[in-house]
Amino acid sequence: MSVFDKILDLLKSSAITQGVLSVLIVAGYLYLVIAQIPIPGFLEGLVGLVVGFFFGGKIQAAIHQAKGGD
């Protein structure tokens, strides 16, 4: 499988899109914090959702691995 095929596969599964959006949301939040600009409530909620989803996925993978999964 070539690199181009792998990229197309990731685009089909929306992994790249999801990753880019997550990075943009968190980067925007960090910019506002560093620049001391008031942070809108919806952005705080989105950052919480992104971070929770990330760590929730890591915990699920750790549980799966501890139970002897692949």
Side-chain angles (χ1 to χ4, degrees):
M1 181 178 265
S2 71
V3 174
F4 185 71
D5 291 334
K6 289 180 184 179
I7 291 172
L8 284 177
D9 188 41
L10 288 173
L11 283 173
K12 287 179 186 175
S13 69
S14 76
I16 290 177
T17 306
Q18 187 178 28
V20 169
L21 286 174
S22 298
V23 168
L24 287 175
I25 290 169
V26 172
Y29 178 81
L30 290 175
Y31 170 77
L32 292 176
V33 168
I34 291 169
Q36 297 180 347
I37 298 171
I39 301 167
F42 76 89
L43 185 58
E44 289 179 346
L46 280 176
V47 170
L49 182 69
V50 167
V51 171
F53 184 79
F54 175 77
F55 284 113
K58 296 290 184 186
I59 290 171
Q60 289 299 323
I63 290 171
H64 182 71
Q65 186 178 15
K67 289 183 176 182
D70 292 329

